[in-house]
Amino acid sequence: MKKVISTLALFVSICLGAAAQGLKESGTSTLSLIPEGWSYEIVNGDLNKDGRLDMVILTYPNFSEHMKVREDGYVYNFNQPILGVYFGQSNGSYQLWKSYDNVVPARPDEFISIEASLLITPRGTLEITLSQESSAGSWYNTSTKYTYRYQNGDFYLIGKDEDSYARNTGKHEIVSENYLTHKRQRITDNMFDEKVKRKEEWSKLKKEPLLRLGEEPSTI
């Protein structure tokens, strides 16, 4: 019996320790919401149209088991980034609405880097841009912007813009999809050869239910 109680206590301790390492539920400042030592990016804006500033935080944990130090001292962080959406309260504090650990991909290896940036537009939409560069295995650099709007109690994907080019050939492609108008624009040209004519194509998208933020992992 003592062994069972001891095991249960250890399990609870581990769970509480893990929870303590996540984003805090509420606070009045950014530093009060993020575990010490985690790097982060924040943006502010009115997401839910209530007249108060909201906040979106992208954090990068620093758990040592998911980090690697190169010979020259450069540190690779393979930890899973966490995105937190906070709504502003009437007392000036921020309350966590939801956190996500599947929106921004973790760095997969030493040869692929993923950079993420956030923006809340004046219209209150949330833009998450993911940029990928490969030093081996692929010639393509890709940047994808996901645009979400808060409506009907959740954040829905209303648009996606992808910009990619090949470093070896200069082949360049831009694809923009609007899930409200159900239209798709595709532009192709060549960044190295001006003789390659710019082409623009429009097509219709099949009407599908809008995806929620975090409903499926973002990819680039």
Side-chain angles (χ1 to χ4, degrees):
M1 185 66 176
K2 289 182 178 180
K3 184 177 181 180
V4 173
I5 294 175
S6 177
T7 302
L8 179 60
L10 177 62
F11 175 76
V12 171
S13 176
I14 292 174
C15 290
L16 290 175
Q21 289 298 311
L23 291 170
K24 302 301 188 295
E25 289 291 329
S26 62
T28 57
S29 66
T30 303
L31 293 180
S32 67
L33 299 170
I34 302 172
E36 185 178 355
W38 289 18
S39 58
Y40 61 90
E41 176 186 353
I42 65 167
V43 290
N44 292 97
D46 189 359
L47 293 167
N48 56 359
K49 303 296 191 301
D50 64 354
R52 304 188 188 105
L53 279 182
D54 305 310
M55 180 165 56
V56 179
I57 304 176
L58 178 60
T59 61
Y60 297 86
N62 61 353
F63 301 125
S64 59
E65 60 267 30
H66 298 300
M67 303 182 79
K68 179 179 179 180
V69 181
R70 203 165 58 188
E71 290 182 357
D72 62 0
Y74 181 84
V75 179
Y76 294 103
N77 189 342
F78 301 116
N79 281 280
Q80 174 63 54
I82 299 173
L83 184 79
V85 177
Y86 288 82
F87 286 144
Q89 306 299 301
S90 59
N91 62 359
S93 67
Y94 294 95
Q95 179 67 42
L96 179 65
W97 181 76
K98 193 177 291 187
S99 63
Y100 306 84
D101 62 2
N102 67 336
V103 170
V104 176
R107 180 168 187 161
D109 54 47
E110 300 172 25
F111 307 105
I112 298 176
S113 64
I114 297 176
E115 299 291 336
S117 62
L118 308 175
L119 176 67
I120 298 178
T121 71
R123 295 179 298 171
T125 58
L126 171 62
E127 295 180 356
I128 302 174
T129 301
L130 305 176
S131 301
Q132 175 180 300
E133 292 187 4
S134 302
S135 59
S138 174
W139 286 106
Y140 278 88
N141 286 355
T142 304
S143 177
T144 306
K145 180 178 70 176
Y146 299 87
T147 302
Y148 295 90
R149 185 171 69 186
Y150 185 77
Q151 59 186 42
N152 301 322
D154 211 333
F155 287 88
Y156 290 87
L157 181 66
I158 61 174
K160 183 171 78 170
D161 302 273
E162 183 176 276
D163 190 323
S164 64
Y165 80 94
R167 300 190 307 276
N168 58 339
T169 64
K171 182 180 178 181
H172 181 219
E173 180 181 67
I174 299 174
V175 177
S176 297
E177 297 179 339
N178 188 314
Y179 303 125
L180 299 179
T181 62
H182 311 291
K183 293 181 179 180
R184 182 178 189 266
Q185 179 193 39
R186 179 174 179 266
I187 298 173
T188 57
D189 58 13
N190 192 290
M191 300 181 70
F192 302 157
D193 190 351
E194 296 181 354
K195 295 180 181 178
V196 177
K197 293 184 178 180
R198 180 179 184 272
K199 294 182 180 180
E200 182 177 359
E201 301 173 349
W202 287 88
S203 58
K204 291 184 178 180
L205 295 172
K206 182 181 178 181
K207 292 185 179 181
E208 301 280 1
L210 296 177
L211 295 175
R212 291 179 173 88
L213 176 62
E215 197 163 62
E216 64 178 36
S218 300
T219 57
I220 52 178

